[in-house]
Amino acid sequence: MTTATDFAATRAFFDLPEGVTYLDGNSLGPLPRAVPERLAQAARHDWGGKLIGGWNDAGWMEMPDRLGDRIAPLIGAPAGSVTLGDTLSVKVYQALAAALALNPDRRVILSCAGNFPSDLYIAQGLARTLERGHDLRTPPPEEVEAHLSEEVAVLMLTEVDYRTGRRHDMARLSARAHELGIVTVWDLAHSAGALPVDMAGCGAAFAVGCTYKYLNSGPGGPAFIHVRPDLAQRIDPALAGWLGHEAPFAFDPDYRPAPAVMRMRVGTPPVLQMVALETALEVWDMARIEDVRARSVALSQRFIDAVEASCPALTLASPRAPEDRGSQVSFRHPEGYAIMQALIAGGVVGDFRAPDILRFGITPLYLDEADIDRAAESLAHIVNRGLWDAPEFRARKPVT
Amino acid sequence: MTTATDFAATRAFFDLPEGVTYLDGNSLGPLPRAVPERLAQAARHDWGGKLIGGWNDAGWMEMPDRLGDRIAPLIGAPAGSVTLGDTLSVKVYQALAAALALNPDRRVILSCAGNFPSDLYIAQGLARTLERGHDLRTPPPEEVEAHLSEEVAVLMLTEVDYRTGRRHDMARLSARAHELGIVTVWDLAHSAGALPVDMAGCGAAFAVGCTYKYLNSGPGGPAFIHVRPDLAQRIDPALAGWLGHEAPFAFDPDYRPAPAVMRMRVGTPPVLQMVALETALEVWDMARIEDVRARSVALSQRFIDAVEASCPALTLASPRAPEDRGSQVSFRHPEGYAIMQALIAGGVVGDFRAPDILRFGITPLYLDEADIDRAAESLAHIVNRGLWDAPEFRARKPVT
């Protein structure tokens, strides 16, 4: 594989604990080495030193759009079409409310049963709040295309399934949806930073995503939202906050939306989280998303091959074809929970999703062949010898 | 004045720049001295060291409620009735949507012209989104009581006016509103940490507020929301996010609200901002809010007396009676903008609000008599000698 990305350098960008093989970056990315000092500096120098002046003099006010412009190329979106803030759930609400308003005569929100539950909850909460009889449909992922029709107002999907890693065909579903007059909302939580995304090419109306997975912004990092530029000016935001006002510091009593995607800003930007994100995004100065994807496919295949060869009790839950997968590999086992606890205890960190899924994030920015081999060996060791069958691994926290 | 609070110790808790007298803590509180190291530690030790395990092992998941319980006594609310997250604008949206749902047959939202514009924008955005003909009324602050009627669904006010520091009579307005079947929403942005608030006593349904002003959590710190305990169970949240689900990690496809105020959580908590907030709240281990208020009243009177005695061109914009004021003092002058720039250039930091208001936050946790005297002297010097009348002070950033 020829590559312009020096993966030894990207690995050195992160501070991974000694003895840990971390395959859970699809849930929370690891710490970029420079973050602690940058956070301390931002607090000491900018907040402590500039006080209220930081909003202008430290560039805090522009952070949401400046960092949006750094994320835009990773998702194939033009500059000025992405902004940041809030959590992904809030950004889903904003996008879905705006999408429904663009299709006021239709009453069906089409998603799928594989969507992240919070996206479905947000749709349920919005539908209840609107009281207009919107119907949320969640067919199995592979049946979504058959449910597209002129009844559907909005197609709202997460490109990559958080459990299986199954990937929707975003270009195809978007094209078909647009032919039927459906407004599209894509959640890129498991895509941004993991694989190339082509928002401009697929012509979808909205994209949202989080930054604490493959973009490594840390716990509670801000979410992003992209709006197709020709649509942005037509949106009257549901969450009409002062940072989305045309002139926040005019303190006008009436809301006037800011230009373009800036109207999707809501409240005061979370500056400390954005400092961590800004630091984390510097890895993209030395990494190309296409290289990351190619290496993720290679490492994933290596992992699947090794596990299938050594560990017959596990069943691949992810699609076998690389193009149908995101950047994670999942296996099923009825005792998946206990197996994962045993694996973590031995220093290989993945995670578990009910009822029986073991998830492994394959993140080439900081994982290499040796990590993959160690993970596969450890898994085979635990499963084949039944080492998971111990009280300390079987005891589960109640999820109520 | 007898006091249980050692204000020399609270002052030492903060790291204020040499030579600066900071009277803008009503906009952004200063840096607690321990924050830079605590942020660096949280990043290095918890995020870097525990990785995904931080959600349980570093207590990240409980932070919104744990810190809510620390804020609760400052606003006279019971434990378990306050949670944190998002921005104040999002919390206003949640509270207002829930309040309107509790009064479904009425169509008037009563606020006032002195409310912070973002609260009004949020009401406008929600009303447009609901499309049920809600009417937002914003009479002058002193006329709000006369506008209370059985037409009004929700009374939504900020206790302390961000420009003048004028304080609504929360107990009286709430009592009168409740007699008329009106649901009450109070924004405590300029109250929490500035003066005692008695949520339980006034019986209001909702309170919201930010933490980066008098609670010193830093730029973009999370907002809080309080729901009266007997109402919380009746709320079906508009922003139904997974962190407000009864069992977030069950990944249930249907939303079931968490108990009590926890249902007002939305998405993943902003952990780094919460670390700063948690550090900042430690000042309340050595400060009593009653003492802070008493000293704020004394320092405010000292400032008013000094400015009025030395600086006749300024007109007091704040109410004269301490009980009618929050913890800021405002003056008017037609050249207020330039005067404030000159003042800041000389190391006395307040701020300006259009068209003619000079604002000064009186924050005894880190200000003393010498600061007040210096600010008053500097102001008189600049105004009486016309030192503000220079191009560098008159040049304004456009607000468009």
Side-chain angles (χ1 to χ4, degrees), chain A residues 238-255:
Chain A
L239 285 165
W242 72 308
L243 263 287
H245 192 279
E246 192 181 0
F249 290 94
F251 298 104
D252 187 338
D254 292 311
Y255 183 73

Tab-separated table of all heavy atoms in Angstrom, chain A residues 238-255:
chain	number	residue	atom	x	y	z
A	238	ALA	N	-35.493	26.065	14.726
A	238	ALA	CA	-36.336	25.779	15.885
A	238	ALA	C	-35.641	26.261	17.149
A	238	ALA	O	-36.254	26.878	18.017
A	238	ALA	CB	-36.607	24.274	15.978
A	239	LEU	N	-34.361	25.942	17.259
A	239	LEU	CA	-33.559	26.389	18.401
A	239	LEU	C	-32.884	27.701	18.006
A	239	LEU	O	-31.740	27.725	17.557
A	239	LEU	CB	-32.516	25.337	18.762
A	239	LEU	CG	-33.061	24.104	19.488
A	239	LEU	CD1	-32.038	22.976	19.479
A	239	LEU	CD2	-33.424	24.444	20.930
A	240	ALA	N	-33.638	28.776	18.173
A	240	ALA	CA	-33.173	30.086	17.723
A	240	ALA	C	-32.410	30.767	18.855
A	240	ALA	O	-32.971	31.548	19.609
A	240	ALA	CB	-34.373	30.927	17.275
A	241	GLY	N	-31.144	30.461	18.973
A	241	GLY	CA	-30.336	31.033	20.056
A	241	GLY	C	-29.548	32.243	19.598
A	241	GLY	O	-29.376	32.480	18.403
A	242	TRP	N	-29.038	32.973	20.575
A	242	TRP	CA	-28.394	34.254	20.233
A	242	TRP	C	-27.130	34.088	19.413
A	242	TRP	O	-26.797	34.951	18.615
A	242	TRP	CB	-28.150	35.096	21.479
A	242	TRP	CG	-27.067	34.655	22.407
A	242	TRP	CD1	-26.904	33.424	22.953
A	242	TRP	CD2	-26.008	35.470	22.922
A	242	TRP	NE1	-25.811	33.420	23.780
A	242	TRP	CE2	-25.241	34.663	23.795
A	242	TRP	CE3	-25.639	36.807	22.766
A	242	TRP	CZ2	-24.118	35.136	24.477
A	242	TRP	CZ3	-24.522	37.273	23.441
A	242	TRP	CH2	-23.782	36.439	24.283
A	243	LEU	N	-26.416	32.961	19.551
A	243	LEU	CA	-25.207	32.788	18.748
A	243	LEU	C	-25.533	32.451	17.296
A	243	LEU	O	-24.646	32.453	16.452
A	243	LEU	CB	-24.298	31.720	19.365
A	243	LEU	CG	-23.174	32.260	20.247
A	243	LEU	CD1	-22.094	32.907	19.412
A	243	LEU	CD2	-23.688	33.238	21.291
A	244	GLY	N	-26.807	32.155	17.020
A	244	GLY	CA	-27.250	31.937	15.648
A	244	GLY	C	-27.943	33.171	15.086
A	244	GLY	O	-28.525	33.122	14.010
A	245	HIS	N	-27.876	34.262	15.824
A	245	HIS	CA	-28.476	35.530	15.376
A	245	HIS	C	-27.511	36.223	14.423
A	245	HIS	O	-26.297	36.060	14.525
A	245	HIS	CB	-28.745	36.418	16.602
A	245	HIS	CG	-29.597	37.613	16.311
A	245	HIS	ND1	-29.112	38.767	15.754
A	245	HIS	CD2	-30.918	37.826	16.524
A	245	HIS	CE1	-30.106	39.654	15.633
A	245	HIS	NE2	-31.214	39.098	16.096
A	246	GLU	N	-28.085	37.007	13.535
A	246	GLU	CA	-27.256	37.730	12.570
A	246	GLU	C	-26.251	38.657	13.274
A	246	GLU	O	-25.139	38.869	12.786
A	246	GLU	CB	-28.170	38.554	11.662
A	246	GLU	CG	-27.473	39.104	10.459
A	246	GLU	CD	-28.400	39.940	9.586
A	246	GLU	OE1	-29.593	40.089	9.940
A	246	GLU	OE2	-27.920	40.437	8.552
A	247	ALA	N	-26.642	39.213	14.399
A	247	ALA	CA	-25.777	40.155	15.126
A	247	ALA	C	-25.969	39.919	16.618
A	247	ALA	O	-26.702	40.639	17.282
A	247	ALA	CB	-26.146	41.588	14.753
A	248	PRO	N	-25.284	38.904	17.161
A	248	PRO	CA	-25.540	38.524	18.557
A	248	PRO	C	-25.375	39.684	19.540
A	248	PRO	O	-26.117	39.787	20.506
A	248	PRO	CB	-24.478	37.444	18.837
A	248	PRO	CG	-24.091	36.913	17.505
A	248	PRO	CD	-24.275	38.038	16.532
A	249	PHE	N	-24.413	40.550	19.263
A	249	PHE	CA	-24.119	41.604	20.232
A	249	PHE	C	-24.888	42.897	19.973
A	249	PHE	O	-24.638	43.909	20.617
A	249	PHE	CB	-22.615	41.814	20.342
A	249	PHE	CG	-21.981	40.634	21.013
A	249	PHE	CD1	-21.455	39.594	20.269
A	249	PHE	CD2	-21.986	40.528	22.391
A	249	PHE	CE1	-20.910	38.470	20.892
A	249	PHE	CE2	-21.450	39.421	23.025
A	249	PHE	CZ	-20.916	38.389	22.277
A	250	ALA	N	-25.830	42.839	19.028
A	250	ALA	CA	-26.739	43.968	18.871
A	250	ALA	C	-27.873	43.874	19.902
A	250	ALA	O	-28.566	44.840	20.155
A	250	ALA	CB	-27.320	43.983	17.462
A	251	PHE	N	-28.054	42.701	20.489
A	251	PHE	CA	-29.106	42.486	21.486
A	251	PHE	C	-30.474	42.979	21.001
A	251	PHE	O	-31.244	43.581	21.729
A	251	PHE	CB	-28.710	43.131	22.827
A	251	PHE	CG	-27.464	42.532	23.403
A	251	PHE	CD1	-26.256	43.215	23.334
A	251	PHE	CD2	-27.480	41.269	23.977
A	251	PHE	CE1	-25.091	42.645	23.829
A	251	PHE	CE2	-26.310	40.694	24.480
A	251	PHE	CZ	-25.126	41.386	24.406
A	252	ASP	N	-30.696	42.711	19.747
A	252	ASP	CA	-31.965	42.961	19.088
A	252	ASP	C	-33.066	42.139	19.781
A	252	ASP	O	-32.863	40.965	20.066
A	252	ASP	CB	-31.762	42.457	17.643
A	252	ASP	CG	-32.891	42.768	16.710
A	252	ASP	OD1	-34.012	42.992	17.166
A	252	ASP	OD2	-32.621	42.761	15.489
A	253	PRO	N	-34.243	42.717	20.048
A	253	PRO	CA	-35.284	41.876	20.671
A	253	PRO	C	-35.855	40.800	19.746
A	253	PRO	O	-36.460	39.845	20.222
A	253	PRO	CB	-36.361	42.886	21.078
A	253	PRO	CG	-36.099	44.112	20.283
A	253	PRO	CD	-34.640	44.128	19.947
A	254	ASP	N	-35.699	40.957	18.443
A	254	ASP	CA	-36.238	39.957	17.510
A	254	ASP	C	-35.136	39.135	16.863
A	254	ASP	O	-34.089	39.656	16.494
A	254	ASP	CB	-37.059	40.647	16.412
A	254	ASP	CG	-38.316	41.255	16.991
A	254	ASP	OD1	-39.027	40.549	17.733
A	254	ASP	OD2	-38.573	42.447	16.730
A	255	TYR	N	-35.433	37.852	16.702
A	255	TYR	CA	-34.471	36.956	16.076
A	255	TYR	C	-34.382	37.212	14.583
A	255	TYR	O	-35.405	37.277	13.886
A	255	TYR	CB	-34.895	35.500	16.323
A	255	TYR	CG	-33.915	34.496	15.766
A	255	TYR	CD1	-32.694	34.281	16.380
A	255	TYR	CD2	-34.219	33.766	14.620
A	255	TYR	CE1	-31.778	33.365	15.870
A	255	TYR	CE2	-33.321	32.848	14.108
A	255	TYR	CZ	-32.102	32.653	14.730
A	255	TYR	OH	-31.216	31.745	14.226
